[in-house]
Amino acid sequence: MRSLVRRWLPTILFGTIPGLVVLFGYLLPIEGLSDLSGYFIDWAVILAGAALFLGIVNVMGVHGGRIRRRQAGWPYSLVLVLAAAGAAVPPLMQVLGFFGAGASGPEVWFEATRIMFAHVIVPVGAALGGLVAFTLALSGFRLLRERRSLWAVIFLIVAVITLLGTTPLAGPPGDLAGDIGMALAEARSWVMGTLAMPGMRGLLLGVALGTVVTALRVLATIERPHSES
Amino acid sequence: MTEGGTLTEAIGAAIGAGLTLLIFSYMLGDNPLYRLALHIFLGILIGYSFGVVVRDILFIRLLEPLAERKWEFFVPLLLAIVLMTKGVRRQAYIGNMATGLLIGVGTAVALSGALLGTLIPQVAATGRAMAVGGADLSQLDGWLLVGRGALVVLGTVCALMAFYFTAHKQRGLAGLWSRLVALAGGAGRLFLTSAFAAAFAGALTSALSLLAERLYRIIDFFARLLTPS
Amino acid sequence: MNSGTMIDCPSCGATNRRGSHFCNECGQPMPAQTSLRCPECGAANPIGNTYCDQCNARLTRGLMPSGGDEQPESAGQEEEAPSGLLAQLDRSGRQRSGSAQAPSGAGQSFGVPEWLRDLEAEAGGRGEPGAGLSVGQPDEPPVAAADLYAAKPAMPASPSGDIGGMADWLAEPEPGDIGAGIGDRQEQFPESAAAQPPPAFGPSEVPDWLLEMAPPEIVGRKPAAEPTQSAAPPAAPRPAPPGAAEIPDWLLDVAPPDVAAPAAAPAGVDELPERRLQEPAGAGLHDIPDWLSDIGADTVPFAGEGAGVGGPTEEQVPEVLAPDSFGVPDWLSDIAPDEVSGGPEAAEADEWPEQRPPGPAAPGPAEVPDWLAEIAADESDLLPELTDEPDLSAMLADAAAAATATEGVGLPDWLQDLEPDSGAAEIQPGEAPPPALPTAPAEAEGVPDWLRAVDAGASGAPVAAPAGGAHAAQVPDWLTDLRPEDTVEEGPPVSAAVGPLGPPPGTGPVEAAIPEWLQAMREQQQSPGVAPEDEPVETTGLLEGLRGVIPAQSIEVPAPLPEVAPEVGEAAAARAQLLQSLLVPAGEKAPVEARKREVSTGERIARWLVFAVVVLPIAVVVGWPVFAGESEVLILTEPQSASAEDLFEAIEGLEAGDVALVAFEYGPAEAGELGVLAKPILWHLEEKGAVIWVRTTRSDGQALADALRVDMSITEQYTPTYGSSAYVPGGAVGVARALARCDRQDPGSDPSECPDIVLVLAGQMAPLQWWVEQVQARDIRPPVVAAVGASVVPAANPYLAANGGRIAGLVGGLAGAAAYEAQLGNVLSPTTRMLNGLAAGHLTVAALMVVGALFYGLTGSRRRQGQ
């Protein structure tokens, strides 16, 4: 019984059958099949949200435990928990708006959310992204230190051409800087379209092939990632 | 915008600038201020996500339909409750049903997308790269066009073959084929290197863009602050 | 293979259920103990395991099956005594002969079987004891075939019935009798000895015809264990234990010792047909295995090759081995006593031609004893009763006398197992106890001297009763002489595996002896605290049955190394941390804190240098208007408006009221770039009067969209977000949900629910791919346009380049934003300043990379030259 619940029920009844219904829903123009496929997709969307909910609860539990046990870094965990509690209020209050404050909810909660994101989330996120520039620049500087080979040189040349060709130097016609800039722009266009694009397409095809094979294996219950504990 | 709004915006901008500088302080090394800003950022994101999940998933996608007597939504409700057992180690196997549905449907969607959205169109596009029927072969441009098309096809094929490095060395005709495969793999490596270099340059560009945007905001803020208007 | 619930029969290899007492296929007893307990962790392992499945510790000998397989091992012996027939034979023979060359671990011998005694008695004064056998003496004449047949051993009762009075020893040859030659061989070729296969050829596996025949007067063995001989090329690993239908190699190499007069051979030959008639009922006269008949027809070992090692030539005994006649094969007749012709050259028909030891030649065909001629090749034990018994005693005695110590040479296990006194000890798990070899009666008339000598020797030596109990055989002297000197060992040998009955107390096979030169190469270090006799016995592989070959040292699991923080560059750690925080979806995982590490001065300088090189130019260019005035914008680059033409045209084609589904698929980390990029596009949509639907698979996408909307002061064109729920989690599944009603193939679809254009604002490739693929998978395919970050552009190019409108238009990064603004006619905007700042950053970073490449490329080569 336990094996039935552990393995075969999730595999066949809840995994393979809905998956095949959705797959054939893409391929076959059958009305009932499309409806059923739509239901399964709806349920999967809901479950995805539930999974995110479970993950957030788990994160809160981890940080809460760290605070409770006064482990290393617990003040930062306290800051995180307090910030999370504060940020959860606006959308939850909007829920209350469903029951009395109208469909769009109180404006104050909308404004609070906007301020949070416009003045905290976006600046910090962008700053974090900007920090990446330093590390990437440093890694570019040390490129040949890490690996001295022909491929590294090719990598360097293509990267430099792409960088300079993205924002080519501007200048009047006949100006050396302008000519160099346009030449670099043309070179970038050629590199991106003739060298990089086929390579990227090969990668995409490889990934797609792997996705198809893995998906078929999962639908055929050869692999059961959901029931392997 | 009202003065309150202006004040709010001013305070918000100050907070954003300050947090940006705290993040940039990481260049000096890991320090408590940087960690403080980081944990505030994460806390807000986690808390807001929690609120959105409760609002958009639980209330809008589950309770609202049930309130409208769409009883079929009891199934995802039950599955979502079952999914919560994943948080309990001993009863985690019960949640396999919910994860089975998630994985089954997700697999089918990914399979159809990879097959219909990437594999077939990209292969067709690779073939069409050689479709240069309108090329004027009497001109150099025509030949360049044909050559470019051939290079695109060759690059795509070689990039795929670059993933097969285990061409065994054999003799005779089989050895010739294996050497050909190795040669194609080497050529494919050129295209892959170019693709990765272009991706590196793109990531660097994106990071520099973020840096530029942040620097612009900071400078603009201080400029407004220092320039009485 | 032994598994947790199944176990293989040691006899026939058939798979049986664990716990079975008898094999389902061959009926042999299965070992009582079906698992080995690990001394380290106590886990139960299949018997065949050498190392524990759980902890990989060596399964020590003390945990061997408790079927009484504990065999005391002679001290000083490092290797496992092959628990085979040969060892038993060897030991027994040596002990009887009093030779110091008895292999270690030997100490047991078995009595001379009845038939052997009978033969000895018959032979009478045929010669010196053992003179009939000249083992290992190439110059001696081969054993006369007649001697082989002269004695008429009393045939033991066989399961198939009476075999016509054949000598007992023929029915159940003593292991020692047969194994002497093997021991000699192994002395000369220790490599072959070491490479002996597992003692799978236990007594029960000895073909009946072999058991019933005279103890092979092994010829072709040199008396002394000469090191030069040991340097012979190593033998190829013995093939699989010969089945009953195969002639053991050792038997092919065996040269018969000196036997009695060859005159008896012809008679023996002549009598073959008669003997055949005397076969018991049911015995097929034509039940000669092909191998035996073929041997006679085509190749006769030892025949016609120079002196011929131990056998009559083909001309001598051609009819014996004719396919349609039942005769003694030449190789068998060759081993008849007194006709050992010796000679180093032997027929090349055997498997080890290069290792063929010179030895006495086989007796002539006329000397093939009757008993030998009557040997039934059939495994069913249907041998005719020989009327004339060869002088086996003499044969054995000669062999024992002639055989020299086979130092360091172990006997094949199957041969050792034939030693009746330790027969049970040598039995492989599941095997039946070896049939005891009959003892020739000492008073048997016509027993050759060699056989008589065997009897004499055997009688004087301590003999352990075989498991069968009824019969006892003695190892001929010649056979005992073949034992290696340093392998004499008292006490029972050690058996790798025993049957359910276990070995008789105090008995056991003789340990194989390793020559000194080989011992010198052995690893001297033994397992600490483990006595040699406690060394584990190899149970599988080529070393099966040997002890101490590999020190019984448990595979120590190395102590976990102290945790050492990996040397991670600070920049790399910071990058990793930042990337993780950016890439991990918010609310799912807290970022990993970067490890603290001492930063060197050079590292600090490099970091500050990069900071300065990257930040300062951007800050100067971006902030120039602040210092120089609003209109003074440093122009380093110009927007490439052509790159945004397709997207511009796609939106330009919309009409008022058209639905534009805008997917906000970027997070806070990309908001700085994508926000700048999305603004002109959204503004364009607003200008066209399109209705904007906001959809996002990110939990923070809705908030970003609202923030952008407010930033752009667009309030009317956005649909209410809370009611329609822009958030669709699940990645590709969410996208499929967002487009669920937008499929012409779906009869229930509502075209009004399908957007007229899909604008994807993606900071990463995956969301863009979801949208493109799901739109493509639908029959209704609105054009997809994308505004992505600069990092996504290379990955999105294949979709853009694919004809058919996979992506109708694509702009990327600040350059794309500036290009789109240029399309809209907005030139000097904040985007322009940021774009020029980006251009400055590009220049400096590119220069930094080139400088670094030159620096490290040159200094690296200089370092290489200096090294």
Side-chain angles (χ1 to χ4, degrees), chain C residues 319-345:
Chain C
E319 64 274 18
V320 175
L321 301 177
D324 56 346
S325 68
F326 184 76
V328 178
D330 287 344
W331 62 268
L332 210 53
S333 59
D334 290 343
I335 63 175
D338 290 337
E339 288 194 358
V340 177
S341 59
E345 302 179 25

PDB file of all heavy atoms in Angstrom, chain C residues 319-345:
ATOM      1  N   GLU C 319      45.135 -48.223 -32.608  1.00  0.00           N
ATOM      2  CA  GLU C 319      43.796 -48.773 -32.545  1.00  0.00           C
ATOM      3  C   GLU C 319      43.139 -48.527 -31.204  1.00  0.00           C
ATOM      4  O   GLU C 319      41.964 -48.694 -31.051  1.00  0.00           O
ATOM      5  CB  GLU C 319      43.814 -50.264 -32.852  1.00  0.00           C
ATOM      6  CG  GLU C 319      44.601 -51.070 -31.826  1.00  0.00           C
ATOM      7  CD  GLU C 319      46.092 -51.119 -32.157  1.00  0.00           C
ATOM      8  OE1 GLU C 319      46.553 -50.251 -32.966  1.00  0.00           O
ATOM      9  OE2 GLU C 319      46.783 -51.959 -31.646  1.00  0.00           O
ATOM     10  N   VAL C 320      43.987 -48.206 -30.310  1.00  0.00           N
ATOM     11  CA  VAL C 320      43.386 -48.003 -28.988  1.00  0.00           C
ATOM     12  C   VAL C 320      42.421 -46.833 -29.003  1.00  0.00           C
ATOM     13  O   VAL C 320      41.377 -46.859 -28.385  1.00  0.00           O
ATOM     14  CB  VAL C 320      44.501 -47.758 -27.953  1.00  0.00           C
ATOM     15  CG1 VAL C 320      43.907 -47.414 -26.606  1.00  0.00           C
ATOM     16  CG2 VAL C 320      45.376 -48.998 -27.862  1.00  0.00           C
ATOM     17  N   LEU C 321      42.810 -45.868 -29.718  1.00  0.00           N
ATOM     18  CA  LEU C 321      42.029 -44.648 -29.691  1.00  0.00           C
ATOM     19  C   LEU C 321      41.237 -44.451 -30.956  1.00  0.00           C
ATOM     20  O   LEU C 321      40.848 -43.348 -31.279  1.00  0.00           O
ATOM     21  CB  LEU C 321      42.946 -43.443 -29.463  1.00  0.00           C
ATOM     22  CG  LEU C 321      43.738 -43.522 -28.171  1.00  0.00           C
ATOM     23  CD1 LEU C 321      44.656 -42.333 -28.059  1.00  0.00           C
ATOM     24  CD2 LEU C 321      42.804 -43.581 -26.974  1.00  0.00           C
ATOM     25  N   ALA C 322      41.077 -45.524 -31.678  1.00  0.00           N
ATOM     26  CA  ALA C 322      40.247 -45.373 -32.873  1.00  0.00           C
ATOM     27  C   ALA C 322      38.844 -45.008 -32.452  1.00  0.00           C
ATOM     28  O   ALA C 322      38.357 -45.434 -31.416  1.00  0.00           O
ATOM     29  CB  ALA C 322      40.259 -46.689 -33.646  1.00  0.00           C
ATOM     30  N   PRO C 323      38.238 -44.221 -33.255  1.00  0.00           N
ATOM     31  CA  PRO C 323      36.915 -43.760 -32.832  1.00  0.00           C
ATOM     32  C   PRO C 323      35.930 -44.880 -32.608  1.00  0.00           C
ATOM     33  O   PRO C 323      35.057 -44.791 -31.777  1.00  0.00           O
ATOM     34  CB  PRO C 323      36.471 -42.859 -33.991  1.00  0.00           C
ATOM     35  CG  PRO C 323      37.720 -42.480 -34.691  1.00  0.00           C
ATOM     36  CD  PRO C 323      38.662 -43.623 -34.503  1.00  0.00           C
ATOM     37  N   ASP C 324      36.083 -45.903 -33.375  1.00  0.00           N
ATOM     38  CA  ASP C 324      35.101 -46.952 -33.226  1.00  0.00           C
ATOM     39  C   ASP C 324      35.587 -48.078 -32.348  1.00  0.00           C
ATOM     40  O   ASP C 324      34.988 -49.116 -32.259  1.00  0.00           O
ATOM     41  CB  ASP C 324      34.735 -47.502 -34.604  1.00  0.00           C
ATOM     42  CG  ASP C 324      35.990 -47.973 -35.316  1.00  0.00           C
ATOM     43  OD1 ASP C 324      37.102 -47.613 -34.841  1.00  0.00           O
ATOM     44  OD2 ASP C 324      35.875 -48.677 -36.304  1.00  0.00           O
ATOM     45  N   SER C 325      36.690 -47.905 -31.792  1.00  0.00           N
ATOM     46  CA  SER C 325      37.179 -48.947 -30.905  1.00  0.00           C
ATOM     47  C   SER C 325      37.407 -48.331 -29.557  1.00  0.00           C
ATOM     48  O   SER C 325      37.754 -47.160 -29.421  1.00  0.00           O
ATOM     49  CB  SER C 325      38.458 -49.553 -31.434  1.00  0.00           C
ATOM     50  OG  SER C 325      39.501 -48.587 -31.377  1.00  0.00           O
ATOM     51  N   PHE C 326      37.223 -49.126 -28.647  1.00  0.00           N
ATOM     52  CA  PHE C 326      37.373 -48.610 -27.296  1.00  0.00           C
ATOM     53  C   PHE C 326      38.751 -48.945 -26.834  1.00  0.00           C
ATOM     54  O   PHE C 326      39.071 -50.066 -26.525  1.00  0.00           O
ATOM     55  CB  PHE C 326      36.336 -49.272 -26.399  1.00  0.00           C
ATOM     56  CG  PHE C 326      36.383 -48.705 -25.019  1.00  0.00           C
ATOM     57  CD1 PHE C 326      35.843 -47.470 -24.762  1.00  0.00           C
ATOM     58  CD2 PHE C 326      37.004 -49.396 -23.984  1.00  0.00           C
ATOM     59  CE1 PHE C 326      35.889 -46.942 -23.493  1.00  0.00           C
ATOM     60  CE2 PHE C 326      37.053 -48.861 -22.715  1.00  0.00           C
ATOM     61  CZ  PHE C 326      36.490 -47.634 -22.464  1.00  0.00           C
ATOM     62  N   GLY C 327      39.581 -48.039 -26.813  1.00  0.00           N
ATOM     63  CA  GLY C 327      40.936 -48.291 -26.381  1.00  0.00           C
ATOM     64  C   GLY C 327      41.421 -47.179 -25.496  1.00  0.00           C
ATOM     65  O   GLY C 327      40.756 -46.172 -25.296  1.00  0.00           O
ATOM     66  N   VAL C 328      42.528 -47.457 -24.981  1.00  0.00           N
ATOM     67  CA  VAL C 328      43.131 -46.466 -24.085  1.00  0.00           C
ATOM     68  C   VAL C 328      43.755 -45.359 -24.934  1.00  0.00           C
ATOM     69  O   VAL C 328      44.481 -45.654 -25.870  1.00  0.00           O
ATOM     70  CB  VAL C 328      44.194 -47.115 -23.206  1.00  0.00           C
ATOM     71  CG1 VAL C 328      44.842 -46.075 -22.305  1.00  0.00           C
ATOM     72  CG2 VAL C 328      43.580 -48.246 -22.407  1.00  0.00           C
ATOM     73  N   PRO C 329      43.491 -44.192 -24.635  1.00  0.00           N
ATOM     74  CA  PRO C 329      44.134 -43.133 -25.412  1.00  0.00           C
ATOM     75  C   PRO C 329      45.617 -43.163 -25.202  1.00  0.00           C
ATOM     76  O   PRO C 329      46.133 -43.644 -24.185  1.00  0.00           O
ATOM     77  CB  PRO C 329      43.519 -41.860 -24.861  1.00  0.00           C
ATOM     78  CG  PRO C 329      42.980 -42.240 -23.531  1.00  0.00           C
ATOM     79  CD  PRO C 329      42.633 -43.678 -23.580  1.00  0.00           C
ATOM     80  N   ASP C 330      46.256 -42.672 -26.184  1.00  0.00           N
ATOM     81  CA  ASP C 330      47.716 -42.709 -26.131  1.00  0.00           C
ATOM     82  C   ASP C 330      48.244 -41.985 -24.928  1.00  0.00           C
ATOM     83  O   ASP C 330      49.201 -42.394 -24.291  1.00  0.00           O
ATOM     84  CB  ASP C 330      48.303 -42.086 -27.396  1.00  0.00           C
ATOM     85  CG  ASP C 330      48.108 -43.002 -28.585  1.00  0.00           C
ATOM     86  OD1 ASP C 330      47.813 -44.193 -28.360  1.00  0.00           O
ATOM     87  OD2 ASP C 330      48.201 -42.524 -29.707  1.00  0.00           O
ATOM     88  N   TRP C 331      47.606 -40.899 -24.678  1.00  0.00           N
ATOM     89  CA  TRP C 331      48.108 -40.115 -23.563  1.00  0.00           C
ATOM     90  C   TRP C 331      47.963 -40.883 -22.284  1.00  0.00           C
ATOM     91  O   TRP C 331      48.749 -40.771 -21.362  1.00  0.00           O
ATOM     92  CB  TRP C 331      47.373 -38.776 -23.485  1.00  0.00           C
ATOM     93  CG  TRP C 331      45.901 -38.912 -23.248  1.00  0.00           C
ATOM     94  CD1 TRP C 331      44.948 -38.985 -24.190  1.00  0.00           C
ATOM     95  CD2 TRP C 331      45.236 -39.073 -21.991  1.00  0.00           C
ATOM     96  NE1 TRP C 331      43.733 -39.131 -23.602  1.00  0.00           N
ATOM     97  CE2 TRP C 331      43.858 -39.186 -22.271  1.00  0.00           C
ATOM     98  CE3 TRP C 331      45.684 -39.108 -20.667  1.00  0.00           C
ATOM     99  CZ2 TRP C 331      42.927 -39.336 -21.266  1.00  0.00           C
ATOM    100  CZ3 TRP C 331      44.739 -39.259 -19.672  1.00  0.00           C
ATOM    101  CH2 TRP C 331      43.375 -39.390 -19.978  1.00  0.00           C
ATOM    102  N   LEU C 332      46.971 -41.666 -22.265  1.00  0.00           N
ATOM    103  CA  LEU C 332      46.759 -42.463 -21.080  1.00  0.00           C
ATOM    104  C   LEU C 332      47.695 -43.658 -21.079  1.00  0.00           C
ATOM    105  O   LEU C 332      48.253 -44.049 -20.066  1.00  0.00           O
ATOM    106  CB  LEU C 332      45.303 -42.910 -21.038  1.00  0.00           C
ATOM    107  CG  LEU C 332      44.711 -43.118 -19.636  1.00  0.00           C
ATOM    108  CD1 LEU C 332      44.938 -41.873 -18.789  1.00  0.00           C
ATOM    109  CD2 LEU C 332      43.236 -43.404 -19.745  1.00  0.00           C
ATOM    110  N   SER C 333      47.840 -44.204 -22.246  1.00  0.00           N
ATOM    111  CA  SER C 333      48.777 -45.316 -22.310  1.00  0.00           C
ATOM    112  C   SER C 333      50.185 -44.832 -22.114  1.00  0.00           C
ATOM    113  O   SER C 333      51.057 -45.571 -21.679  1.00  0.00           O
ATOM    114  CB  SER C 333      48.640 -46.020 -23.660  1.00  0.00           C
ATOM    115  OG  SER C 333      48.901 -45.086 -24.704  1.00  0.00           O
ATOM    116  N   ASP C 334      50.373 -43.631 -22.429  1.00  0.00           N
ATOM    117  CA  ASP C 334      51.713 -43.095 -22.242  1.00  0.00           C
ATOM    118  C   ASP C 334      52.123 -43.070 -20.795  1.00  0.00           C
ATOM    119  O   ASP C 334      53.305 -43.032 -20.474  1.00  0.00           O
ATOM    120  CB  ASP C 334      51.792 -41.680 -22.811  1.00  0.00           C
ATOM    121  CG  ASP C 334      51.724 -41.705 -24.322  1.00  0.00           C
ATOM    122  OD1 ASP C 334      51.942 -42.787 -24.897  1.00  0.00           O
ATOM    123  OD2 ASP C 334      51.414 -40.677 -24.899  1.00  0.00           O
ATOM    124  N   ILE C 335      51.170 -43.034 -19.991  1.00  0.00           N
ATOM    125  CA  ILE C 335      51.532 -42.914 -18.587  1.00  0.00           C
ATOM    126  C   ILE C 335      51.639 -44.251 -17.913  1.00  0.00           C
ATOM    127  O   ILE C 335      51.735 -44.361 -16.702  1.00  0.00           O
ATOM    128  CB  ILE C 335      50.522 -42.033 -17.833  1.00  0.00           C
ATOM    129  CG1 ILE C 335      49.149 -42.669 -17.841  1.00  0.00           C
ATOM    130  CG2 ILE C 335      50.456 -40.668 -18.455  1.00  0.00           C
ATOM    131  CD1 ILE C 335      48.132 -41.896 -17.011  1.00  0.00           C
ATOM    132  N   ALA C 336      51.595 -45.244 -18.706  1.00  0.00           N
ATOM    133  CA  ALA C 336      51.779 -46.574 -18.117  1.00  0.00           C
ATOM    134  C   ALA C 336      53.190 -46.687 -17.573  1.00  0.00           C
ATOM    135  O   ALA C 336      54.134 -46.129 -18.122  1.00  0.00           O
ATOM    136  CB  ALA C 336      51.525 -47.647 -19.177  1.00  0.00           C
ATOM    137  N   PRO C 337      53.340 -47.321 -16.492  1.00  0.00           N
ATOM    138  CA  PRO C 337      54.668 -47.409 -15.873  1.00  0.00           C
ATOM    139  C   PRO C 337      55.638 -48.218 -16.708  1.00  0.00           C
ATOM    140  O   PRO C 337      55.254 -49.000 -17.554  1.00  0.00           O
ATOM    141  CB  PRO C 337      54.396 -48.073 -14.527  1.00  0.00           C
ATOM    142  CG  PRO C 337      53.124 -48.807 -14.734  1.00  0.00           C
ATOM    143  CD  PRO C 337      52.344 -48.032 -15.737  1.00  0.00           C
ATOM    144  N   ASP C 338      56.934 -48.000 -16.396  1.00  0.00           N
ATOM    145  CA  ASP C 338      58.044 -48.748 -16.984  1.00  0.00           C
ATOM    146  C   ASP C 338      58.260 -48.416 -18.431  1.00  0.00           C
ATOM    147  O   ASP C 338      59.106 -49.001 -19.062  1.00  0.00           O
ATOM    148  CB  ASP C 338      57.830 -50.267 -16.872  1.00  0.00           C
ATOM    149  CG  ASP C 338      57.945 -50.696 -15.441  1.00  0.00           C
ATOM    150  OD1 ASP C 338      58.584 -49.969 -14.646  1.00  0.00           O
ATOM    151  OD2 ASP C 338      57.368 -51.717 -15.108  1.00  0.00           O
ATOM    152  N   GLU C 339      57.556 -47.571 -18.895  1.00  0.00           N
ATOM    153  CA  GLU C 339      57.792 -47.226 -20.272  1.00  0.00           C
ATOM    154  C   GLU C 339      57.863 -45.723 -20.434  1.00  0.00           C
ATOM    155  O   GLU C 339      57.521 -45.183 -21.459  1.00  0.00           O
ATOM    156  CB  GLU C 339      56.678 -47.778 -21.146  1.00  0.00           C
ATOM    157  CG  GLU C 339      56.755 -49.289 -21.289  1.00  0.00           C
ATOM    158  CD  GLU C 339      55.866 -49.760 -22.410  1.00  0.00           C
ATOM    159  OE1 GLU C 339      55.190 -48.910 -23.029  1.00  0.00           O
ATOM    160  OE2 GLU C 339      55.844 -50.951 -22.688  1.00  0.00           O
ATOM    161  N   VAL C 340      58.297 -45.196 -19.377  1.00  0.00           N
ATOM    162  CA  VAL C 340      58.416 -43.744 -19.464  1.00  0.00           C
ATOM    163  C   VAL C 340      59.628 -43.443 -20.292  1.00  0.00           C
ATOM    164  O   VAL C 340      60.759 -43.692 -19.900  1.00  0.00           O
ATOM    165  CB  VAL C 340      58.558 -43.123 -18.062  1.00  0.00           C
ATOM    166  CG1 VAL C 340      58.750 -41.635 -18.163  1.00  0.00           C
ATOM    167  CG2 VAL C 340      57.328 -43.460 -17.253  1.00  0.00           C
ATOM    168  N   SER C 341      59.380 -42.959 -21.415  1.00  0.00           N
ATOM    169  CA  SER C 341      60.512 -42.695 -22.281  1.00  0.00           C
ATOM    170  C   SER C 341      61.090 -41.327 -22.005  1.00  0.00           C
ATOM    171  O   SER C 341      62.214 -41.036 -22.337  1.00  0.00           O
ATOM    172  CB  SER C 341      60.072 -42.806 -23.734  1.00  0.00           C
ATOM    173  OG  SER C 341      59.029 -41.865 -23.958  1.00  0.00           O
ATOM    174  N   GLY C 342      60.350 -40.547 -21.387  1.00  0.00           N
ATOM    175  CA  GLY C 342      60.858 -39.221 -21.064  1.00  0.00           C
ATOM    176  C   GLY C 342      61.089 -38.406 -22.314  1.00  0.00           C
ATOM    177  O   GLY C 342      60.660 -38.730 -23.403  1.00  0.00           O
ATOM    178  N   GLY C 343      61.781 -37.441 -22.116  1.00  0.00           N
ATOM    179  CA  GLY C 343      62.060 -36.565 -23.250  1.00  0.00           C
ATOM    180  C   GLY C 343      61.404 -35.213 -23.047  1.00  0.00           C
ATOM    181  O   GLY C 343      60.262 -35.139 -22.640  1.00  0.00           O
ATOM    182  N   PRO C 344      62.177 -34.310 -23.305  1.00  0.00           N
ATOM    183  CA  PRO C 344      61.636 -32.960 -23.086  1.00  0.00           C
ATOM    184  C   PRO C 344      60.623 -32.538 -24.112  1.00  0.00           C
ATOM    185  O   PRO C 344      59.796 -31.696 -23.878  1.00  0.00           O
ATOM    186  CB  PRO C 344      62.881 -32.066 -23.144  1.00  0.00           C
ATOM    187  CG  PRO C 344      63.833 -32.834 -24.011  1.00  0.00           C
ATOM    188  CD  PRO C 344      63.557 -34.284 -23.772  1.00  0.00           C
ATOM    189  N   GLU C 345      60.718 -33.141 -25.231  1.00  0.00           N
ATOM    190  CA  GLU C 345      59.800 -32.724 -26.270  1.00  0.00           C
ATOM    191  C   GLU C 345      58.510 -33.497 -26.123  1.00  0.00           C
ATOM    192  O   GLU C 345      58.473 -34.663 -25.849  1.00  0.00           O
ATOM    193  CB  GLU C 345      60.422 -32.979 -27.637  1.00  0.00           C
ATOM    194  CG  GLU C 345      61.748 -32.237 -27.797  1.00  0.00           C
ATOM    195  CD  GLU C 345      62.364 -32.509 -29.140  1.00  0.00           C
ATOM    196  OE1 GLU C 345      61.609 -32.845 -30.073  1.00  0.00           O
ATOM    197  OE2 GLU C 345      63.575 -32.431 -29.263  1.00  0.00           O
TER     198      GLU C 345
END
